[in-house]
Amino acid sequence: MRSRPSGTADAYRRFAELEAHGNSPTYEALSNGVAADPELLELLDLLPPGKRQPNLLLAAVRHLGGPTASYREFRAWVLAHWERVRAVMLARLTQTNESARCAVLLPLLAALPQPLALIEVGASAGLCLYPDRYRYAYDGAEAFGHPDSPITLPCRTSGPVPPPCPLPTVTWRAGIDLNPLSASDPEDVRWLESLVWPEQRERLTRLRGALSVARGEPALLLRGDLNATVRRLVAQAPAGATPVVFHSAVLAYLPGAARQEFVRTVRELPCHWISNEAPGVLPGLKERLPVPVPAGRGVFLLALDGRPVAFTSPHGQRLDWFAREPGPGSTAAPGPSHPMPVT
Ligand SMILES: C[S@@+](CC[C@H](N)C(=O)[O-])C[C@H]1O[C@@H](n2cnc3c(N)ncnc32)[C@H](O)[C@@H]1O
Protein backbone atom coordinates (compact mmCIF):
# COMPACT_ATOMS: atom_id res chain seq x y z
CA MET A 1 0.00 0.00 0.00
CA ARG A 2 1.29 3.46 -0.83
CA SER A 3 2.62 5.47 2.08
CA ARG A 4 1.61 9.07 2.58
CA PRO A 5 1.96 11.74 5.23
CA SER A 6 -0.62 11.29 7.96
CA GLY A 7 -1.42 13.52 10.97
CA THR A 8 -2.68 10.29 12.47
CA ALA A 9 0.80 8.75 12.28
CA ASP A 10 2.20 11.79 14.10
CA ALA A 11 -0.49 11.54 16.76
CA TYR A 12 0.32 7.85 17.38
CA ARG A 13 4.04 8.60 17.49
CA ARG A 14 3.47 11.48 19.94
CA PHE A 15 1.23 9.31 22.07
CA ALA A 16 3.94 6.63 22.19
CA GLU A 17 6.65 9.12 23.06
CA LEU A 18 4.90 11.53 25.42
CA GLU A 19 2.24 9.44 27.09
CA ALA A 20 2.86 5.72 26.80
CA HIS A 21 6.65 5.84 27.23
CA GLY A 22 7.45 5.02 30.85
CA ASN A 23 3.80 4.19 31.58
CA SER A 24 2.86 1.37 29.26
CA PRO A 25 5.46 -0.53 27.19
CA THR A 26 2.57 -2.38 25.53
CA TYR A 27 0.87 0.80 24.33
CA GLU A 28 4.20 2.38 23.42
CA ALA A 29 5.03 -0.56 21.14
CA LEU A 30 1.53 -0.79 19.64
CA SER A 31 1.19 2.93 18.95
CA ASN A 32 4.67 3.10 17.41
CA GLY A 33 3.62 0.10 15.31
CA VAL A 34 0.45 1.85 14.11
CA ALA A 35 2.41 5.05 13.37
CA ALA A 36 4.56 3.09 10.90
CA ASP A 37 1.76 0.99 9.38
CA PRO A 38 0.26 2.55 6.22
CA GLU A 39 -2.50 -0.04 6.04
CA LEU A 40 -3.85 0.63 9.53
CA LEU A 41 -3.37 4.38 9.13
CA GLU A 42 -5.44 4.28 5.98
CA LEU A 43 -8.30 2.60 7.86
CA LEU A 44 -8.03 5.03 10.77
CA ASP A 45 -8.07 7.99 8.39
CA LEU A 46 -11.46 6.85 7.08
CA LEU A 47 -12.89 7.52 10.56
CA PRO A 48 -14.01 11.03 11.55
CA PRO A 49 -11.02 13.03 12.91
CA GLY A 50 -12.24 12.85 16.52
CA LYS A 51 -12.41 9.05 16.32
CA ARG A 52 -8.82 8.20 15.38
CA GLN A 53 -7.20 8.54 18.82
CA PRO A 54 -4.71 5.91 20.03
CA ASN A 55 -6.59 5.44 23.30
CA LEU A 56 -9.85 4.77 21.47
CA LEU A 57 -8.34 2.17 19.11
CA LEU A 58 -6.36 0.44 21.85
CA ALA A 59 -9.29 0.35 24.28
CA ALA A 60 -11.67 -0.88 21.56
CA VAL A 61 -9.35 -3.79 20.71
CA ARG A 62 -8.99 -4.78 24.37
CA HIS A 63 -12.74 -4.37 24.92
CA LEU A 64 -13.29 -6.91 22.14
CA GLY A 65 -10.67 -9.29 23.56
CA GLY A 66 -8.04 -8.68 20.85
CA PRO A 67 -4.35 -9.50 21.46
CA THR A 68 -1.89 -6.81 22.57
CA ALA A 69 1.24 -8.84 23.37
CA SER A 70 2.95 -8.13 20.03
CA TYR A 71 2.36 -5.66 17.19
CA ARG A 72 2.32 -8.50 14.66
CA GLU A 73 -0.62 -10.25 16.38
CA PHE A 74 -2.35 -6.95 17.14
CA ARG A 75 -2.32 -5.74 13.54
CA ALA A 76 -3.40 -9.12 12.11
CA TRP A 77 -6.31 -9.22 14.56
CA VAL A 78 -7.34 -5.60 13.91
CA LEU A 79 -7.29 -6.14 10.13
CA ALA A 80 -9.33 -9.33 10.47
CA HIS A 81 -11.89 -7.72 12.82
CA TRP A 82 -11.83 -4.14 11.55
CA GLU A 83 -15.62 -3.79 11.21
CA ARG A 84 -16.11 -4.69 14.90
CA VAL A 85 -13.23 -2.47 16.02
CA ARG A 86 -14.59 0.38 13.91
CA ALA A 87 -18.11 -0.07 15.37
CA VAL A 88 -16.80 0.20 18.95
CA MET A 89 -14.67 3.23 18.05
CA LEU A 90 -17.68 4.95 16.51
CA ALA A 91 -20.06 4.03 19.34
CA ARG A 92 -17.80 4.79 22.30
CA LEU A 93 -15.90 7.85 23.49
CA THR A 94 -12.59 8.01 25.30
CA GLN A 95 -14.11 8.57 28.71
CA THR A 96 -11.20 7.59 30.92
CA ASN A 97 -12.29 8.59 34.40
CA GLU A 98 -9.35 9.13 36.70
CA SER A 99 -10.21 9.67 40.35
CA ALA A 100 -6.49 10.38 41.05
CA ARG A 101 -7.03 13.82 39.49
CA CYS A 102 -8.73 14.69 42.80
CA ALA A 103 -5.24 14.85 44.33
CA VAL A 104 -4.36 17.88 42.19
CA LEU A 105 -7.76 19.53 42.64
CA LEU A 106 -7.82 19.07 46.43
CA PRO A 107 -5.55 22.00 47.51
CA LEU A 108 -7.72 24.42 45.51
CA LEU A 109 -10.99 22.93 46.73
CA ALA A 110 -9.86 22.92 50.37
CA ALA A 111 -9.04 26.66 50.18
CA LEU A 112 -12.49 27.76 48.94
CA PRO A 113 -15.31 28.88 51.28
CA GLN A 114 -17.03 25.72 52.51
CA PRO A 115 -19.31 23.89 51.99
CA LEU A 116 -19.02 23.23 48.26
CA ALA A 117 -21.50 22.39 45.51
CA LEU A 118 -19.41 20.57 42.90
CA ILE A 119 -20.35 20.68 39.23
CA GLU A 120 -18.09 18.73 36.89
CA VAL A 121 -18.43 19.28 33.15
CA GLY A 122 -17.30 16.27 31.11
CA ALA A 123 -17.73 14.07 34.18
CA SER A 124 -17.69 10.60 32.53
CA ALA A 125 -18.89 8.41 35.46
CA GLY A 126 -18.38 11.30 37.92
CA LEU A 127 -15.44 9.76 39.82
CA CYS A 128 -13.78 13.16 40.34
CA LEU A 129 -16.87 14.39 42.19
CA TYR A 130 -15.77 12.65 45.41
CA PRO A 131 -12.63 14.52 46.56
CA ASP A 132 -13.93 14.33 50.15
CA ARG A 133 -14.43 10.56 49.98
CA TYR A 134 -10.88 9.48 49.09
CA ARG A 135 -7.59 9.22 50.98
CA TYR A 136 -4.42 10.99 49.83
CA ALA A 137 -0.67 10.46 50.24
CA TYR A 138 1.34 13.50 49.16
CA ASP A 139 5.09 13.01 48.73
CA GLY A 140 5.07 9.64 50.48
CA ALA A 141 3.80 11.15 53.76
CA GLU A 142 1.25 9.32 55.89
CA ALA A 143 -2.10 9.13 54.14
CA PHE A 144 -5.04 11.23 55.29
CA GLY A 145 -8.61 11.61 54.11
CA HIS A 146 -11.89 9.79 54.43
CA PRO A 147 -11.48 6.85 56.81
CA ASP A 148 -13.73 4.56 54.73
CA SER A 149 -12.06 5.22 51.39
CA PRO A 150 -11.18 2.00 49.54
CA ILE A 151 -8.37 3.86 47.73
CA THR A 152 -5.44 6.15 48.49
CA LEU A 153 -4.34 8.63 45.83
CA PRO A 154 -0.55 9.20 45.75
CA CYS A 155 0.81 12.50 44.45
CA ARG A 156 4.32 14.04 44.26
CA THR A 157 4.45 17.80 44.64
CA SER A 158 6.83 20.73 44.31
CA GLY A 159 6.49 24.44 45.06
CA PRO A 160 4.21 26.24 47.54
CA VAL A 161 1.17 23.94 47.33
CA PRO A 162 -1.61 25.22 49.66
CA PRO A 163 -2.59 22.81 52.47
CA PRO A 164 -4.92 20.12 51.11
CA CYS A 165 -6.61 19.57 54.46
CA PRO A 166 -9.00 19.73 56.17
CA LEU A 167 -10.88 17.96 53.44
CA PRO A 168 -13.53 20.03 51.68
CA THR A 169 -17.15 19.58 52.74
CA VAL A 170 -19.23 18.69 49.71
CA THR A 171 -22.99 19.07 50.03
CA TRP A 172 -23.93 18.57 46.37
CA ARG A 173 -22.33 16.72 43.46
CA ALA A 174 -23.49 17.09 39.89
CA GLY A 175 -22.01 16.40 36.50
CA ILE A 176 -22.67 16.85 32.81
CA ASP A 177 -21.48 14.55 30.05
CA LEU A 178 -22.36 13.93 26.41
CA ASN A 179 -22.61 10.30 27.51
CA PRO A 180 -22.69 9.90 31.29
CA LEU A 181 -21.43 6.48 32.36
CA SER A 182 -23.01 4.65 35.25
CA ALA A 183 -20.93 3.06 37.99
CA SER A 184 -23.78 0.54 38.31
CA ASP A 185 -23.93 -0.49 34.64
CA PRO A 186 -21.73 -3.55 33.92
CA GLU A 187 -21.12 -2.58 30.25
CA ASP A 188 -20.10 0.97 31.21
CA VAL A 189 -17.82 -0.44 33.90
CA ARG A 190 -16.24 -2.84 31.37
CA TRP A 191 -15.59 0.06 28.96
CA LEU A 192 -14.01 2.14 31.74
CA GLU A 193 -11.80 -0.85 32.57
CA SER A 194 -10.79 -1.23 28.90
CA LEU A 195 -9.63 2.39 28.98
CA VAL A 196 -7.08 1.66 31.70
CA TRP A 197 -3.71 0.87 30.13
CA PRO A 198 -2.58 -2.77 30.31
CA GLU A 199 0.29 -2.54 32.82
CA GLN A 200 -1.54 -0.14 35.09
CA ARG A 201 -2.89 -2.59 37.66
CA GLU A 202 -2.90 0.16 40.29
CA ARG A 203 -5.14 2.30 38.12
CA LEU A 204 -7.52 -0.62 37.66
CA THR A 205 -7.70 -1.15 41.43
CA ARG A 206 -8.22 2.59 41.89
CA LEU A 207 -10.95 2.66 39.25
CA ARG A 208 -12.80 -0.21 40.92
CA GLY A 209 -12.49 1.45 44.34
CA ALA A 210 -13.71 4.81 43.04
CA LEU A 211 -16.63 3.12 41.25
CA SER A 212 -17.69 1.57 44.56
CA VAL A 213 -17.61 5.04 46.18
CA ALA A 214 -19.77 6.44 43.35
CA ARG A 215 -22.22 3.53 43.61
CA GLY A 216 -22.61 4.19 47.33
CA GLU A 217 -23.50 7.86 46.87
CA PRO A 218 -24.68 8.46 43.29
CA ALA A 219 -24.16 12.00 41.97
CA LEU A 220 -26.65 13.82 39.76
CA LEU A 221 -25.30 13.13 36.24
CA LEU A 222 -26.99 14.87 33.32
CA ARG A 223 -26.65 13.96 29.67
CA GLY A 224 -25.86 16.96 27.51
CA ASP A 225 -23.35 19.34 26.04
CA LEU A 226 -21.51 21.30 28.68
CA ASN A 227 -22.23 24.66 27.03
CA ALA A 228 -25.93 23.91 26.85
CA THR A 229 -26.23 22.64 30.42
CA VAL A 230 -23.75 24.34 32.75
CA ARG A 231 -25.94 27.39 33.53
CA ARG A 232 -28.84 25.16 34.57
CA LEU A 233 -26.69 23.15 36.96
CA VAL A 234 -25.11 26.21 38.58
CA ALA A 235 -28.63 27.61 39.10
CA GLN A 236 -29.64 24.32 40.76
CA ALA A 237 -26.80 24.36 43.31
CA PRO A 238 -28.18 24.54 46.86
CA ALA A 239 -28.16 27.91 48.60
CA GLY A 240 -25.44 28.29 51.22
CA ALA A 241 -22.87 26.20 49.29
CA THR A 242 -20.09 27.63 47.09
CA PRO A 243 -20.70 26.45 43.51
CA VAL A 244 -17.50 25.19 41.85
CA VAL A 245 -17.50 24.33 38.16
CA PHE A 246 -14.52 22.17 37.25
CA HIS A 247 -13.17 20.03 34.44
CA SER A 248 -10.13 17.96 33.53
CA ALA A 249 -9.19 16.39 30.19
CA VAL A 250 -12.40 17.65 28.60
CA LEU A 251 -12.12 20.94 26.72
CA ALA A 252 -9.64 19.57 24.17
CA TYR A 253 -12.60 17.62 22.74
CA LEU A 254 -14.38 20.87 21.88
CA PRO A 255 -13.68 23.03 18.83
CA GLY A 256 -12.07 26.43 19.56
CA ALA A 257 -15.33 28.42 19.30
CA ALA A 258 -17.09 26.12 21.79
CA ARG A 259 -14.17 26.45 24.23
CA GLN A 260 -14.37 30.21 23.97
CA GLU A 261 -18.13 30.08 24.56
CA PHE A 262 -17.57 27.95 27.67
CA VAL A 263 -14.97 30.36 29.07
CA ARG A 264 -17.28 33.33 28.48
CA THR A 265 -20.18 31.51 30.15
CA VAL A 266 -18.32 30.24 33.18
CA ARG A 267 -16.80 33.68 33.82
CA GLU A 268 -20.31 35.19 33.95
CA LEU A 269 -21.71 32.55 36.30
CA PRO A 270 -21.79 33.02 40.10
CA CYS A 271 -19.27 30.23 40.75
CA HIS A 272 -15.59 29.42 41.11
CA TRP A 273 -14.00 27.71 38.13
CA ILE A 274 -11.19 25.15 38.22
CA SER A 275 -9.67 23.97 34.95
CA ASN A 276 -7.11 21.17 34.54
CA GLU A 277 -6.37 20.83 30.84
CA ALA A 278 -3.42 20.62 28.46
CA PRO A 279 -1.67 24.01 28.09
CA GLY A 280 -2.98 25.86 25.06
CA VAL A 281 -6.46 24.32 25.23
CA LEU A 282 -7.99 27.27 27.06
CA PRO A 283 -7.93 30.73 25.51
CA GLY A 284 -5.40 33.07 27.13
CA LEU A 285 -4.06 30.76 29.88
CA LYS A 286 -0.77 29.67 28.33
CA GLU A 287 0.17 33.30 27.70
CA ARG A 288 0.00 33.98 31.45
CA LEU A 289 2.36 31.19 32.50
CA PRO A 290 5.14 32.35 34.83
CA VAL A 291 7.42 29.51 33.58
CA PRO A 292 7.69 27.67 30.25
CA VAL A 293 5.76 24.46 29.65
CA PRO A 294 8.14 21.55 30.48
CA ALA A 295 9.42 19.91 27.30
CA GLY A 296 9.28 16.18 26.70
CA ARG A 297 6.40 15.16 28.97
CA GLY A 298 2.65 15.54 28.80
CA VAL A 299 1.43 18.09 31.34
CA PHE A 300 -1.83 19.74 32.23
CA LEU A 301 -2.22 23.29 33.43
CA LEU A 302 -4.25 23.81 36.61
CA ALA A 303 -6.01 27.16 36.98
CA LEU A 304 -8.43 28.79 39.40
CA ASP A 305 -10.84 31.35 37.93
CA GLY A 306 -8.64 31.70 34.85
CA ARG A 307 -5.39 32.17 36.85
CA PRO A 308 -2.74 29.48 36.21
CA VAL A 309 -1.47 27.98 39.48
CA ALA A 310 0.40 24.75 38.67
CA PHE A 311 1.41 22.12 36.15
CA THR A 312 -0.04 18.71 36.87
CA SER A 313 0.58 15.34 35.33
CA PRO A 314 -2.39 14.28 33.22
CA HIS A 315 -3.42 11.44 35.52
CA GLY A 316 -2.90 13.31 38.78
CA GLN A 317 0.41 11.83 39.96
CA ARG A 318 2.27 15.19 40.09
CA LEU A 319 1.43 18.72 41.19
CA ASP A 320 4.08 21.38 40.51
CA TRP A 321 2.87 24.65 42.00
CA PHE A 322 4.23 27.88 40.53
CA ALA A 323 6.52 29.79 42.86
CA ARG A 324 5.83 32.96 40.84
CA GLU A 325 2.57 34.74 40.09
CA PRO A 326 1.13 34.38 36.57
CA GLY A 327 1.54 37.18 34.06
CA PRO A 328 -1.20 39.68 33.14
CA GLY A 329 -4.25 38.46 31.23
CA SER A 330 -4.26 38.09 27.48
CA THR A 331 -6.95 38.13 24.88
CA ALA A 332 -5.22 35.52 22.76
CA ALA A 333 -7.34 33.04 20.86
CA PRO A 334 -7.32 29.37 21.95
CA GLY A 335 -4.52 27.20 20.68
CA PRO A 336 -4.99 24.91 17.72
CA SER A 337 -7.78 22.43 18.09
CA HIS A 338 -6.60 19.10 19.54
CA PRO A 339 -8.33 16.35 17.57
CA MET A 340 -6.61 13.65 19.64
CA PRO A 341 -6.78 14.79 23.22
CA VAL A 342 -5.08 13.29 26.25
CA THR A 343 -7.70 11.26 28.08
C1 LIG B 1 -11.24 12.00 29.10
S1 LIG B 1 -12.81 12.08 29.84
C2 LIG B 1 -12.41 12.89 31.37
C3 LIG B 1 -13.39 12.53 32.47
C4 LIG B 1 -13.15 13.24 33.80
N1 LIG B 1 -13.24 14.67 33.64
C5 LIG B 1 -11.83 12.87 34.43
O1 LIG B 1 -10.98 13.78 34.57
O2 LIG B 1 -11.62 11.73 34.78
C6 LIG B 1 -13.60 13.39 28.91
C7 LIG B 1 -15.11 13.42 29.09
O3 LIG B 1 -15.62 14.63 28.51
C8 LIG B 1 -16.87 14.33 27.90
N2 LIG B 1 -17.17 15.39 26.93
C9 LIG B 1 -16.49 15.69 25.80
N3 LIG B 1 -17.07 16.73 25.16
C10 LIG B 1 -18.13 17.12 25.93
C11 LIG B 1 -19.13 18.13 25.80
N4 LIG B 1 -19.16 18.96 24.75
N5 LIG B 1 -20.06 18.24 26.77
C12 LIG B 1 -20.06 17.38 27.82
N6 LIG B 1 -19.15 16.40 27.99
C13 LIG B 1 -18.19 16.25 27.06
C14 LIG B 1 -16.64 12.96 27.30
O4 LIG B 1 -17.85 12.30 27.03
C15 LIG B 1 -15.82 12.26 28.40
O5 LIG B 1 -16.65 11.59 29.32
Side-chain angles (χ1 to χ4, degrees), residues 56-321:
L56 189 56
L57 170 68
L58 296 164
V61 172
R62 288 173 59 230
H63 194 65
L64 293 167
T68 55
S70 76
Y71 186 68
R72 195 178 49 79
E73 286 174 281
F74 173 85
R75 89 175 291 276
W77 193 91
V78 171
L79 290 173
H81 298 88
W82 176 247
E83 280 312 311
R84 290 171 67 207
V85 174
R86 180 177 171 276
V88 173
M89 291 178 77
L90 289 175
R92 287 283 181 181
L93 301 166
T94 46
Q95 295 194 264
T96 308
N97 203 181
E98 182 48 83
S99 56
R101 291 178 177 136
C102 286
V104 304
L105 303 175
L106 193 69
L108 287 178
L109 294 172
L112 293 174
Q114 307 292 315
L116 306 179
L118 294 183
I119 299 157
E120 185 180 11
V121 300
S124 185
L127 304 183
C128 295
L129 283 165
Y130 301 87
D132 55 330
R133 291 289 182 258
Y134 301 136
R135 287 174 67 74
Y136 300 87
Y138 290 96
D139 299 312
E142 195 181 333
F144 69 94
H146 197 282
D148 299 333
S149 174
I151 53 174
T152 297
L153 310 179
C155 184
R156 312 292 315 178
T157 73
S158 70
V161 179
C165 48
L167 287 182
T169 306
V170 179
T171 52
W172 196 66
R173 322 170 194 271
I176 306 167
D177 203 284
L178 288 177
N179 180 46
L181 296 178
S182 166
S184 303
D185 179 318
E187 266 307 290
D188 284 354
V189 168
R190 221 167 66 73
W191 176 243
L192 284 168
E193 291 185 352
S194 304
L195 287 164
V196 175
W197 300 358
E199 295 84 351
Q200 300 187 325
R201 300 297 305 173
E202 263 178 41
R203 282 186 80 192
L204 194 57
T205 306
R206 191 157 69 227
L207 171 66
R208 290 175 176 159
L211 285 166
S212 76
V213 169
R215 270 194 295 274
E217 197 178 341
L220 170 66
L221 289 184
L222 300 187
R223 180 179 298 273
D225 173 70
L226 52 88
N227 275 322
T229 321
V230 67
R231 282 179 196 280
R232 176 146 60 95
L233 269 191
V234 172
Q236 259 179 268
T242 304
V244 185
V245 170
F246 72 98
H247 49 91
S248 60
V250 172
L251 287 209
Y253 290 88
L254 274 64
R259 284 184 228 161
Q260 268 174 328
E261 179 187 345
F262 176 73
V263 171
R264 271 196 308 274
T265 306
V266 80
R267 281 183 181 283
E268 282 168 10
L269 288 171
C271 63
H272 283 288
W273 166 38
I274 296 176
S275 56
N276 185 38
E277 302 283 349
V281 166
L282 277 172
L285 273 198
K286 197 172 171 188
E287 295 72 13
R288 299 191 62 193
L289 282 176
V291 287
V293 177
R297 69 183 173 107
V299 288
F300 277 2
L301 176 55
L302 182 69
L304 173 65
D305 298 327
R307 187 174 67 91
V309 296
F311 288 127
T312 68
S313 58
H315 295 139
Q317 317 87 320
R318 276 209 70 88
L319 175 59
D320 297 303
W321 211 268

